[in-house]
Amino acid sequence: MTSSRGTIPGRALAAALALSACTLACSTHEASPPASGERSTTAPVAARSTAERGTVIGGEKVARVVAWPHAGTRDATVRAQLLASVGDRLDAAPVPVLAPPQSGRSTLSLGPSWYALTVHGEGFLLHTHGSAEARLHPHVRAYEPTHPMRGGAGYLTRNEEVWSASWIEHGVAYGFEIECDRRVVPWCDDERAVQERLESLVYVGGRGGAR
Amino acid sequence: MNRARTLVALALLLVPAAAKADPFYRPVGELVPGSGDGAADATVYAPGMRYPIQDAPSFPNSQVWGVGGSEGPAGSQCDEANFSYPWHDNYCETRSWDMPLCPSGTGHQGQDIRASSCDNLTHPYLSVLPGTVTSIGSYSVYVTAEDGTRFDYLHGGNLVVSEGDVLAQGDPIGLVSNQFGGTSTTVHLHFNIKQDVAGVGFVFVSPYMSLVAAYEELTGLGNEPPAGPVDAVDCESIRGWAQDPDTPDQPVQVQVWFGGPADAPEATGVTIVADQHRDDLCDPLGSCEHGFELEIPRSLRDGQSHPAFVYAVDTEGGSLQPLDASTTEFSCAPPAVPEGVRRAIAGPEAQAAWGFSPFWELAPIDAAAVAAIDVGAPLDDAPLWVRGDADPESTVWLIDGGRKRSFGDAAGLELWHVVVGAVETWPQASVDGIPEGTPMRPEVFLVEDDAGVLYVMDDPACPPGDDCGGGGGGSDGGGEGTDGGGTLGDGTGGDEGDSGSGGGGEARDDDGGGCGCTQSRSTPFAALWLVLALGLQRRRRSSSSRVSAARLCTPSRR
């Protein structure tokens, strides 16, 4: 399955520019051009055995290479309020922890390659998740993000009234959820307000990065 | 072929077939008519999970398009039609928000599941895998498994868990209800699986086939188990056959688990269809297409002993059935590293875009040996495949460093994981005008450095200003050969396949170290024309690659 949505001509253009450079560099040694539509005359790949490759059940686990931000970029205020709530475990997180500036009852869970942080507000909760272990599924290839977010792009979705955002940052796959009690949180129906909260997430800690 | 094993397995098949039940589910991707465009994605994203509702029967189907739903037939949510088989997938049911893995790009995210009745706060739902309760909202519970996969349970009530609780598989969470953040919905469990998927990120994946597998495990569905033997295991492959007596003419799925039995945390499972023709099976089984031969993964060719467990999957559900002689072990020497340079692969998104599989293609080479290999230009973040428009069957090329590179034949396209539907059609003149580089190598050979960066072995690209006289397209390289036969259980072997390694890269060594570029035509005019043409091209995939001729063309030693 590959995405067929979106238009980004940049790579084709870059390839063409590279072609120009390489063509100019190599133009001293020309060979005959192939006729239009002619098949390649290059050697076929070697013969292979009848053994097949199966599909890895549940997807193949692959590590993400985390690009730790410098410790100096941690948000001191949010970090302090989170430390008060979840303690030193914050700095055991295997990936950079992104947290909302919102204060409130918080739960931090850690796995070997992920963290999950839930912060409760008045009538809503904010949940972030960071993962450094991806699954390769052969049918999932390249996808084009649809929403600009956090200096890059990702996906923004809302279903069952839960907002969910997904994006890659620091080499890590992040998710962000907002769930509201709509009786008391009118902003939860406002996409802009949701995006503001997404953009307000700050780096607060984790076990890597220069100190 | 081990005849004794075959006879034992045949004897197991000589039992009366049980009556066949009607399928309890419609195929994955088949939604209620008019409710959207489904994803025919048969992947079990959460293998080994338990069914989330405690007791059968249970009925995953649409709430919105079911009886009493806002888009469904008029009636009560308790209508018996909502509590009958077959199930319907509704992962990609029409919604208006991002769902990258759905064909339309939007969808429902998860699966609505009804219990055996519409009674509120009656039916327990459970943790499908061991995990930690990472969030509890006003109508949601998130449980994150050890591997980071998250399971979302929505609309439940009478919760018996708290944030931070560590749950075992099957531990109760709450009761199926209609909670919805201050309002109510129908009585059902909305169940999501969210996973870090290379190429996309942390996204909702289809839970449907995971639910099907879990329900088959829960209910048994009483039928005859499949059977068959493992015939042989060596450093080429694991070979055998399997047949399900309930569906004797159909091929069955075989699972091979490396490193431990099925679903063990440390084990990696692989599924393959036993559908190879074998003359020796035709008479005794009544049909011939039941053989399988699974390649030994290159990542396990490390000289160590690796256990393997082989099972057949019942075509009508139920537990995995170990094949005769299903527990085995192999030991194979590491393959020789082909000549050439190593080209970095940016990360999981690039691995996914190229279709690379470390499990099948990564050689377990010592990090010091990897460090000694020259570094070539990094691969683009995603491949750019093109063909000319003069003939829809014309050669598919990879555009790489400003050159076009061929895959040789259909097998080469498959080997390099080319998605034929994603090949771009360019004006023939543009394609003809691109200088030709070395052909793609006859195998995808990955190595990894001590920082965890993956590389693919390849030919060095053309240095700017080089006369490009070397290589000659690699037609005399002769391919990689094989990794060698190895000897079962002794850790030897694997060296005899080195001859002929290197493809196009090897040829260069013979003629004084040329760069290996093969020129087809290289007029600056054609290239400049192409710059303009490509500026108007509609591109299908995202990529942040910025190809630099200088960067591409300068091998360096790390």
Side-chain angles (χ1 to χ4, degrees), chain A residues 8 11 31 42 50 60 107 120 131 135 141 146 159 177 179, chain B residues 98 108 139-140 147 163 194 196 202 293 359 382 406 417 519 539:
Chain A
I8 296 186
R11 199 162 65 92
T42 52
T50 57
E60 194 174 333
T107 303
H120 293 266
S131 165
R135 299 288 185 132
R141 303 295 281 268
T146 53
N159 193 54
E177 261 90 13
E179 178 183 330
Chain B
D98 285 357
H108 175 231
Y139 57 98
S140 70
D147 72 353
E163 282 180 5
K194 198 167 186 183
D196 181 353
F202 189 55
E293 182 175 7
F359 183 71
S406 74
H417 316 295
Q519 294 287 335
R539 295 289 298 113

PDB file of all heavy atoms in Angstrom, chain A residues 8 11 31 42 50 60 107 120 131 135 141 146 159 177 179, chain B residues 98 108 139-140 147 163 194 196 202 293 359 382 406 417 519 539:
ATOM      1  N   ILE A   8       4.682  16.702  -4.150  1.00  0.00           N
ATOM      2  CA  ILE A   8       5.920  17.337  -3.726  1.00  0.00           C
ATOM      3  C   ILE A   8       6.931  17.184  -4.845  1.00  0.00           C
ATOM      4  O   ILE A   8       7.512  16.124  -5.017  1.00  0.00           O
ATOM      5  CB  ILE A   8       6.468  16.741  -2.426  1.00  0.00           C
ATOM      6  CG1 ILE A   8       5.472  17.025  -1.287  1.00  0.00           C
ATOM      7  CG2 ILE A   8       7.814  17.320  -2.093  1.00  0.00           C
ATOM      8  CD1 ILE A   8       5.972  16.615   0.062  1.00  0.00           C
ATOM      9  N   ARG A  11      11.782  16.541  -4.816  1.00  0.00           N
ATOM     10  CA  ARG A  11      12.766  15.485  -4.969  1.00  0.00           C
ATOM     11  C   ARG A  11      13.074  15.226  -6.434  1.00  0.00           C
ATOM     12  O   ARG A  11      14.223  14.982  -6.805  1.00  0.00           O
ATOM     13  CB  ARG A  11      12.268  14.203  -4.306  1.00  0.00           C
ATOM     14  CG  ARG A  11      13.369  13.226  -4.032  1.00  0.00           C
ATOM     15  CD  ARG A  11      12.914  12.224  -3.017  1.00  0.00           C
ATOM     16  NE  ARG A  11      11.835  11.412  -3.519  1.00  0.00           N
ATOM     17  CZ  ARG A  11      12.003  10.253  -4.140  1.00  0.00           C
ATOM     18  NH1 ARG A  11      13.217   9.786  -4.331  1.00  0.00           N
ATOM     19  NH2 ARG A  11      10.986   9.553  -4.555  1.00  0.00           N
ATOM     20  N   ALA A  31      28.288   7.165 -24.538  1.00  0.00           N
ATOM     21  CA  ALA A  31      27.943   5.896 -25.161  1.00  0.00           C
ATOM     22  C   ALA A  31      26.675   6.088 -25.984  1.00  0.00           C
ATOM     23  O   ALA A  31      26.020   7.113 -25.889  1.00  0.00           O
ATOM     24  CB  ALA A  31      27.716   4.830 -24.097  1.00  0.00           C
ATOM     25  N   THR A  42      21.349  -4.475 -19.555  1.00  0.00           N
ATOM     26  CA  THR A  42      22.200  -4.856 -18.430  1.00  0.00           C
ATOM     27  C   THR A  42      21.910  -6.284 -17.999  1.00  0.00           C
ATOM     28  O   THR A  42      20.873  -6.843 -18.290  1.00  0.00           O
ATOM     29  CB  THR A  42      21.971  -3.911 -17.253  1.00  0.00           C
ATOM     30  OG1 THR A  42      20.572  -3.871 -17.001  1.00  0.00           O
ATOM     31  CG2 THR A  42      22.469  -2.535 -17.572  1.00  0.00           C
ATOM     32  N   THR A  50      14.415 -21.807  -4.888  1.00  0.00           N
ATOM     33  CA  THR A  50      12.960 -21.821  -4.776  1.00  0.00           C
ATOM     34  C   THR A  50      12.493 -21.440  -3.386  1.00  0.00           C
ATOM     35  O   THR A  50      11.300 -21.328  -3.146  1.00  0.00           O
ATOM     36  CB  THR A  50      12.425 -23.223  -5.109  1.00  0.00           C
ATOM     37  OG1 THR A  50      13.044 -24.162  -4.229  1.00  0.00           O
ATOM     38  CG2 THR A  50      12.718 -23.589  -6.550  1.00  0.00           C
ATOM     39  N   GLU A  60       8.161  -6.363  11.520  1.00  0.00           N
ATOM     40  CA  GLU A  60       9.557  -6.496  11.923  1.00  0.00           C
ATOM     41  C   GLU A  60       9.943  -5.304  12.792  1.00  0.00           C
ATOM     42  O   GLU A  60       9.709  -4.152  12.418  1.00  0.00           O
ATOM     43  CB  GLU A  60      10.395  -6.510  10.646  1.00  0.00           C
ATOM     44  CG  GLU A  60      11.791  -6.946  10.805  1.00  0.00           C
ATOM     45  CD  GLU A  60      12.476  -7.056   9.454  1.00  0.00           C
ATOM     46  OE1 GLU A  60      11.818  -7.292   8.433  1.00  0.00           O
ATOM     47  OE2 GLU A  60      13.691  -6.877   9.421  1.00  0.00           O
ATOM     48  N   THR A 107       0.599  10.940  35.054  1.00  0.00           N
ATOM     49  CA  THR A 107       1.104   9.571  35.122  1.00  0.00           C
ATOM     50  C   THR A 107       2.123   9.378  34.020  1.00  0.00           C
ATOM     51  O   THR A 107       1.832   9.658  32.850  1.00  0.00           O
ATOM     52  CB  THR A 107      -0.030   8.544  34.920  1.00  0.00           C
ATOM     53  OG1 THR A 107      -1.041   8.768  35.888  1.00  0.00           O
ATOM     54  CG2 THR A 107       0.498   7.119  35.059  1.00  0.00           C
ATOM     55  N   HIS A 120      -3.824  15.288  33.497  1.00  0.00           N
ATOM     56  CA  HIS A 120      -5.262  15.551  33.612  1.00  0.00           C
ATOM     57  C   HIS A 120      -5.514  17.031  33.884  1.00  0.00           C
ATOM     58  O   HIS A 120      -4.893  17.621  34.770  1.00  0.00           O
ATOM     59  CB  HIS A 120      -5.862  14.732  34.760  1.00  0.00           C
ATOM     60  CG  HIS A 120      -5.847  13.258  34.482  1.00  0.00           C
ATOM     61  ND1 HIS A 120      -6.913  12.596  33.935  1.00  0.00           N
ATOM     62  CD2 HIS A 120      -4.879  12.325  34.645  1.00  0.00           C
ATOM     63  CE1 HIS A 120      -6.613  11.313  33.787  1.00  0.00           C
ATOM     64  NE2 HIS A 120      -5.374  11.117  34.210  1.00  0.00           N
ATOM     65  N   SER A 131       7.900   6.848  20.811  1.00  0.00           N
ATOM     66  CA  SER A 131       8.370   5.485  20.545  1.00  0.00           C
ATOM     67  C   SER A 131       9.650   5.504  19.724  1.00  0.00           C
ATOM     68  O   SER A 131       9.767   6.243  18.747  1.00  0.00           O
ATOM     69  CB  SER A 131       7.296   4.710  19.781  1.00  0.00           C
ATOM     70  OG  SER A 131       7.839   3.531  19.216  1.00  0.00           O
ATOM     71  N   ARG A 135       7.675  -0.713  13.637  1.00  0.00           N
ATOM     72  CA  ARG A 135       7.393  -2.005  13.001  1.00  0.00           C
ATOM     73  C   ARG A 135       7.422  -1.798  11.493  1.00  0.00           C
ATOM     74  O   ARG A 135       6.756  -0.896  10.984  1.00  0.00           O
ATOM     75  CB  ARG A 135       6.005  -2.504  13.389  1.00  0.00           C
ATOM     76  CG  ARG A 135       5.807  -2.730  14.870  1.00  0.00           C
ATOM     77  CD  ARG A 135       6.555  -3.950  15.331  1.00  0.00           C
ATOM     78  NE  ARG A 135       6.268  -4.239  16.726  1.00  0.00           N
ATOM     79  CZ  ARG A 135       5.941  -5.453  17.167  1.00  0.00           C
ATOM     80  NH1 ARG A 135       5.864  -6.462  16.337  1.00  0.00           N
ATOM     81  NH2 ARG A 135       5.713  -5.655  18.447  1.00  0.00           N
ATOM     82  N   ARG A 141       4.533   1.469   2.957  1.00  0.00           N
ATOM     83  CA  ARG A 141       5.750   2.065   2.415  1.00  0.00           C
ATOM     84  C   ARG A 141       5.785   3.551   2.778  1.00  0.00           C
ATOM     85  O   ARG A 141       5.739   3.866   3.957  1.00  0.00           O
ATOM     86  CB  ARG A 141       5.800   1.835   0.895  1.00  0.00           C
ATOM     87  CG  ARG A 141       5.725   0.353   0.515  1.00  0.00           C
ATOM     88  CD  ARG A 141       6.951  -0.437   0.999  1.00  0.00           C
ATOM     89  NE  ARG A 141       8.079  -0.252   0.139  1.00  0.00           N
ATOM     90  CZ  ARG A 141       8.420  -1.012  -0.891  1.00  0.00           C
ATOM     91  NH1 ARG A 141       7.685  -2.068  -1.187  1.00  0.00           N
ATOM     92  NH2 ARG A 141       9.486  -0.775  -1.616  1.00  0.00           N
ATOM     93  N   THR A 146      -0.181  14.989   6.287  1.00  0.00           N
ATOM     94  CA  THR A 146      -1.213  15.875   5.755  1.00  0.00           C
ATOM     95  C   THR A 146      -1.316  17.216   6.471  1.00  0.00           C
ATOM     96  O   THR A 146      -1.885  18.148   5.920  1.00  0.00           O
ATOM     97  CB  THR A 146      -2.581  15.185   5.852  1.00  0.00           C
ATOM     98  OG1 THR A 146      -2.767  14.762   7.196  1.00  0.00           O
ATOM     99  CG2 THR A 146      -2.649  13.976   4.931  1.00  0.00           C
ATOM    100  N   ASN A 159     -11.668  11.173  16.285  1.00  0.00           N
ATOM    101  CA  ASN A 159     -12.725  10.180  16.209  1.00  0.00           C
ATOM    102  C   ASN A 159     -13.150   9.830  17.611  1.00  0.00           C
ATOM    103  O   ASN A 159     -12.340   9.889  18.545  1.00  0.00           O
ATOM    104  CB  ASN A 159     -12.250   8.922  15.479  1.00  0.00           C
ATOM    105  CG  ASN A 159     -13.406   8.033  15.127  1.00  0.00           C
ATOM    106  OD1 ASN A 159     -14.367   8.465  14.495  1.00  0.00           O
ATOM    107  ND2 ASN A 159     -13.348   6.805  15.588  1.00  0.00           N
ATOM    108  N   GLU A 177      -2.791  12.929  22.290  1.00  0.00           N
ATOM    109  CA  GLU A 177      -4.233  12.790  22.335  1.00  0.00           C
ATOM    110  C   GLU A 177      -4.842  13.815  23.278  1.00  0.00           C
ATOM    111  O   GLU A 177      -4.246  14.142  24.320  1.00  0.00           O
ATOM    112  CB  GLU A 177      -4.630  11.386  22.830  1.00  0.00           C
ATOM    113  CG  GLU A 177      -4.999  10.408  21.736  1.00  0.00           C
ATOM    114  CD  GLU A 177      -3.813   9.618  21.236  1.00  0.00           C
ATOM    115  OE1 GLU A 177      -2.768   9.647  21.901  1.00  0.00           O
ATOM    116  OE2 GLU A 177      -3.914   8.997  20.162  1.00  0.00           O
ATOM    117  N   GLU A 179      -8.606  14.267  25.087  1.00  0.00           N
ATOM    118  CA  GLU A 179      -9.964  13.765  25.299  1.00  0.00           C
ATOM    119  C   GLU A 179     -10.683  14.704  26.249  1.00  0.00           C
ATOM    120  O   GLU A 179     -10.127  15.090  27.281  1.00  0.00           O
ATOM    121  CB  GLU A 179      -9.903  12.355  25.892  1.00  0.00           C
ATOM    122  CG  GLU A 179     -11.275  11.781  26.194  1.00  0.00           C
ATOM    123  CD  GLU A 179     -11.191  10.411  26.861  1.00  0.00           C
ATOM    124  OE1 GLU A 179     -10.211   9.683  26.593  1.00  0.00           O
ATOM    125  OE2 GLU A 179     -12.099  10.086  27.656  1.00  0.00           O
TER     126      GLU A 179
ATOM    127  N   ASP B  98      -7.923  12.320   9.436  1.00  0.00           N
ATOM    128  CA  ASP B  98      -6.771  11.571   8.906  1.00  0.00           C
ATOM    129  C   ASP B  98      -6.728  10.123   9.377  1.00  0.00           C
ATOM    130  O   ASP B  98      -6.785   9.844  10.575  1.00  0.00           O
ATOM    131  CB  ASP B  98      -5.457  12.212   9.374  1.00  0.00           C
ATOM    132  CG  ASP B  98      -5.143  13.489   8.633  1.00  0.00           C
ATOM    133  OD1 ASP B  98      -5.907  13.838   7.726  1.00  0.00           O
ATOM    134  OD2 ASP B  98      -4.130  14.120   8.985  1.00  0.00           O
ATOM    135  N   HIS B 108     -12.216   5.450  10.575  1.00  0.00           N
ATOM    136  CA  HIS B 108     -12.823   5.319  11.887  1.00  0.00           C
ATOM    137  C   HIS B 108     -11.821   4.994  12.990  1.00  0.00           C
ATOM    138  O   HIS B 108     -12.128   5.104  14.164  1.00  0.00           O
ATOM    139  CB  HIS B 108     -13.896   4.212  11.762  1.00  0.00           C
ATOM    140  CG  HIS B 108     -14.566   3.817  13.027  1.00  0.00           C
ATOM    141  ND1 HIS B 108     -14.677   2.503  13.426  1.00  0.00           N
ATOM    142  CD2 HIS B 108     -15.198   4.533  13.987  1.00  0.00           C
ATOM    143  CE1 HIS B 108     -15.347   2.438  14.564  1.00  0.00           C
ATOM    144  NE2 HIS B 108     -15.673   3.654  14.928  1.00  0.00           N
ATOM    145  N   TYR B 139     -13.953   8.404  29.165  1.00  0.00           N
ATOM    146  CA  TYR B 139     -14.560   7.235  28.521  1.00  0.00           C
ATOM    147  C   TYR B 139     -13.534   6.392  27.779  1.00  0.00           C
ATOM    148  O   TYR B 139     -13.891   5.608  26.910  1.00  0.00           O
ATOM    149  CB  TYR B 139     -15.687   7.647  27.571  1.00  0.00           C
ATOM    150  CG  TYR B 139     -15.295   8.626  26.488  1.00  0.00           C
ATOM    151  CD1 TYR B 139     -14.984   8.188  25.209  1.00  0.00           C
ATOM    152  CD2 TYR B 139     -15.254   9.980  26.748  1.00  0.00           C
ATOM    153  CE1 TYR B 139     -14.638   9.083  24.220  1.00  0.00           C
ATOM    154  CE2 TYR B 139     -14.907  10.886  25.766  1.00  0.00           C
ATOM    155  CZ  TYR B 139     -14.603  10.434  24.501  1.00  0.00           C
ATOM    156  OH  TYR B 139     -14.249  11.332  23.527  1.00  0.00           O
ATOM    157  N   SER B 140     -12.270   6.522  28.122  1.00  0.00           N
ATOM    158  CA  SER B 140     -11.226   5.759  27.436  1.00  0.00           C
ATOM    159  C   SER B 140     -10.261   5.152  28.445  1.00  0.00           C
ATOM    160  O   SER B 140     -10.039   5.713  29.521  1.00  0.00           O
ATOM    161  CB  SER B 140     -10.434   6.662  26.481  1.00  0.00           C
ATOM    162  OG  SER B 140      -9.642   7.568  27.217  1.00  0.00           O
ATOM    163  N   ASP B 147       6.022  -3.723  24.071  1.00  0.00           N
ATOM    164  CA  ASP B 147       6.661  -3.295  22.822  1.00  0.00           C
ATOM    165  C   ASP B 147       6.180  -1.925  22.354  1.00  0.00           C
ATOM    166  O   ASP B 147       6.563  -1.465  21.277  1.00  0.00           O
ATOM    167  CB  ASP B 147       6.449  -4.334  21.718  1.00  0.00           C
ATOM    168  CG  ASP B 147       5.023  -4.368  21.210  1.00  0.00           C
ATOM    169  OD1 ASP B 147       4.154  -3.694  21.796  1.00  0.00           O
ATOM    170  OD2 ASP B 147       4.774  -5.070  20.207  1.00  0.00           O
ATOM    171  N   GLU B 163      -4.596   4.328  36.429  1.00  0.00           N
ATOM    172  CA  GLU B 163      -3.390   4.652  35.662  1.00  0.00           C
ATOM    173  C   GLU B 163      -2.158   4.114  36.381  1.00  0.00           C
ATOM    174  O   GLU B 163      -2.032   4.253  37.600  1.00  0.00           O
ATOM    175  CB  GLU B 163      -3.260   6.160  35.471  1.00  0.00           C
ATOM    176  CG  GLU B 163      -4.171   6.699  34.395  1.00  0.00           C
ATOM    177  CD  GLU B 163      -4.021   8.210  34.209  1.00  0.00           C
ATOM    178  OE1 GLU B 163      -3.144   8.812  34.850  1.00  0.00           O
ATOM    179  OE2 GLU B 163      -4.798   8.781  33.416  1.00  0.00           O
ATOM    180  N   LYS B 194      -2.924   1.044  18.267  1.00  0.00           N
ATOM    181  CA  LYS B 194      -2.065   2.121  17.770  1.00  0.00           C
ATOM    182  C   LYS B 194      -0.619   1.637  17.874  1.00  0.00           C
ATOM    183  O   LYS B 194      -0.192   1.148  18.925  1.00  0.00           O
ATOM    184  CB  LYS B 194      -2.276   3.398  18.583  1.00  0.00           C
ATOM    185  CG  LYS B 194      -1.770   4.649  17.886  1.00  0.00           C
ATOM    186  CD  LYS B 194      -2.259   5.920  18.556  1.00  0.00           C
ATOM    187  CE  LYS B 194      -1.840   7.132  17.728  1.00  0.00           C
ATOM    188  NZ  LYS B 194      -2.230   8.399  18.363  1.00  0.00           N
ATOM    189  N   ASP B 196       3.660   2.047  16.352  1.00  0.00           N
ATOM    190  CA  ASP B 196       4.716   2.811  15.667  1.00  0.00           C
ATOM    191  C   ASP B 196       5.069   2.055  14.382  1.00  0.00           C
ATOM    192  O   ASP B 196       5.763   1.046  14.417  1.00  0.00           O
ATOM    193  CB  ASP B 196       5.933   2.930  16.588  1.00  0.00           C
ATOM    194  CG  ASP B 196       7.082   3.724  15.963  1.00  0.00           C
ATOM    195  OD1 ASP B 196       6.989   4.072  14.771  1.00  0.00           O
ATOM    196  OD2 ASP B 196       8.069   3.972  16.690  1.00  0.00           O
ATOM    197  N   PHE B 202       3.418   6.856  14.640  1.00  0.00           N
ATOM    198  CA  PHE B 202       2.591   6.209  15.670  1.00  0.00           C
ATOM    199  C   PHE B 202       1.128   6.407  15.287  1.00  0.00           C
ATOM    200  O   PHE B 202       0.545   7.463  15.536  1.00  0.00           O
ATOM    201  CB  PHE B 202       2.921   6.840  17.020  1.00  0.00           C
ATOM    202  CG  PHE B 202       2.313   6.137  18.208  1.00  0.00           C
ATOM    203  CD1 PHE B 202       2.524   4.792  18.430  1.00  0.00           C
ATOM    204  CD2 PHE B 202       1.538   6.839  19.116  1.00  0.00           C
ATOM    205  CE1 PHE B 202       1.969   4.151  19.532  1.00  0.00           C
ATOM    206  CE2 PHE B 202       0.989   6.218  20.223  1.00  0.00           C
ATOM    207  CZ  PHE B 202       1.203   4.864  20.423  1.00  0.00           C
ATOM    208  N   GLU B 293       8.816 -23.988   1.375  1.00  0.00           N
ATOM    209  CA  GLU B 293      10.265 -23.914   1.540  1.00  0.00           C
ATOM    210  C   GLU B 293      10.605 -22.497   1.956  1.00  0.00           C
ATOM    211  O   GLU B 293      10.455 -21.557   1.168  1.00  0.00           O
ATOM    212  CB  GLU B 293      10.999 -24.275   0.249  1.00  0.00           C
ATOM    213  CG  GLU B 293      12.512 -24.250   0.441  1.00  0.00           C
ATOM    214  CD  GLU B 293      13.302 -24.708  -0.783  1.00  0.00           C
ATOM    215  OE1 GLU B 293      12.667 -24.923  -1.842  1.00  0.00           O
ATOM    216  OE2 GLU B 293      14.521 -24.828  -0.675  1.00  0.00           O
ATOM    217  N   PHE B 359      15.519  -8.247   8.898  1.00  0.00           N
ATOM    218  CA  PHE B 359      15.422  -9.662   9.270  1.00  0.00           C
ATOM    219  C   PHE B 359      15.912 -10.556   8.131  1.00  0.00           C
ATOM    220  O   PHE B 359      16.667 -11.500   8.347  1.00  0.00           O
ATOM    221  CB  PHE B 359      13.971  -9.999   9.621  1.00  0.00           C
ATOM    222  CG  PHE B 359      13.770 -11.415  10.078  1.00  0.00           C
ATOM    223  CD1 PHE B 359      14.244 -11.830  11.315  1.00  0.00           C
ATOM    224  CD2 PHE B 359      13.103 -12.337   9.289  1.00  0.00           C
ATOM    225  CE1 PHE B 359      14.055 -13.137  11.744  1.00  0.00           C
ATOM    226  CE2 PHE B 359      12.908 -13.637   9.708  1.00  0.00           C
ATOM    227  CZ  PHE B 359      13.388 -14.039  10.943  1.00  0.00           C
ATOM    228  N   ALA B 382      13.588   8.045  -0.110  1.00  0.00           N
ATOM    229  CA  ALA B 382      12.616   7.164  -0.770  1.00  0.00           C
ATOM    230  C   ALA B 382      13.090   6.949  -2.200  1.00  0.00           C
ATOM    231  O   ALA B 382      13.690   7.838  -2.793  1.00  0.00           O
ATOM    232  CB  ALA B 382      11.224   7.789  -0.751  1.00  0.00           C
ATOM    233  N   SER B 406      19.132  -0.043 -13.762  1.00  0.00           N
ATOM    234  CA  SER B 406      18.137  -1.054 -14.094  1.00  0.00           C
ATOM    235  C   SER B 406      18.103  -2.145 -13.028  1.00  0.00           C
ATOM    236  O   SER B 406      19.061  -2.348 -12.275  1.00  0.00           O
ATOM    237  CB  SER B 406      18.448  -1.663 -15.454  1.00  0.00           C
ATOM    238  OG  SER B 406      19.558  -2.525 -15.349  1.00  0.00           O
ATOM    239  N   HIS B 417      12.151  -4.806  -4.091  1.00  0.00           N
ATOM    240  CA  HIS B 417      10.901  -4.358  -3.472  1.00  0.00           C
ATOM    241  C   HIS B 417      10.253  -3.195  -4.230  1.00  0.00           C
ATOM    242  O   HIS B 417       9.648  -2.296  -3.610  1.00  0.00           O
ATOM    243  CB  HIS B 417      11.124  -3.953  -2.010  1.00  0.00           C
ATOM    244  CG  HIS B 417      11.992  -4.898  -1.244  1.00  0.00           C
ATOM    245  ND1 HIS B 417      11.617  -6.199  -0.993  1.00  0.00           N
ATOM    246  CD2 HIS B 417      13.242  -4.764  -0.703  1.00  0.00           C
ATOM    247  CE1 HIS B 417      12.581  -6.804  -0.307  1.00  0.00           C
ATOM    248  NE2 HIS B 417      13.578  -5.968  -0.129  1.00  0.00           N
ATOM    249  N   GLN B 519      27.432   5.103 -19.433  1.00  0.00           N
ATOM    250  CA  GLN B 519      26.781   6.220 -20.095  1.00  0.00           C
ATOM    251  C   GLN B 519      25.841   5.729 -21.191  1.00  0.00           C
ATOM    252  O   GLN B 519      26.208   4.919 -22.010  1.00  0.00           O
ATOM    253  CB  GLN B 519      27.836   7.130 -20.733  1.00  0.00           C
ATOM    254  CG  GLN B 519      28.715   7.803 -19.720  1.00  0.00           C
ATOM    255  CD  GLN B 519      27.991   8.905 -18.989  1.00  0.00           C
ATOM    256  OE1 GLN B 519      27.046   9.455 -19.516  1.00  0.00           O
ATOM    257  NE2 GLN B 519      28.416   9.213 -17.798  1.00  0.00           N
ATOM    258  N   ARG B 539       4.644  14.712  -8.003  1.00  0.00           N
ATOM    259  CA  ARG B 539       5.338  13.710  -7.222  1.00  0.00           C
ATOM    260  C   ARG B 539       4.377  13.043  -6.258  1.00  0.00           C
ATOM    261  O   ARG B 539       3.480  13.665  -5.719  1.00  0.00           O
ATOM    262  CB  ARG B 539       6.490  14.355  -6.443  1.00  0.00           C
ATOM    263  CG  ARG B 539       7.543  14.896  -7.346  1.00  0.00           C
ATOM    264  CD  ARG B 539       8.348  13.788  -8.038  1.00  0.00           C
ATOM    265  NE  ARG B 539       9.020  13.005  -7.015  1.00  0.00           N
ATOM    266  CZ  ARG B 539       8.730  11.754  -6.751  1.00  0.00           C
ATOM    267  NH1 ARG B 539       7.825  11.110  -7.429  1.00  0.00           N
ATOM    268  NH2 ARG B 539       9.364  11.098  -5.806  1.00  0.00           N
TER     269      ARG B 539
END
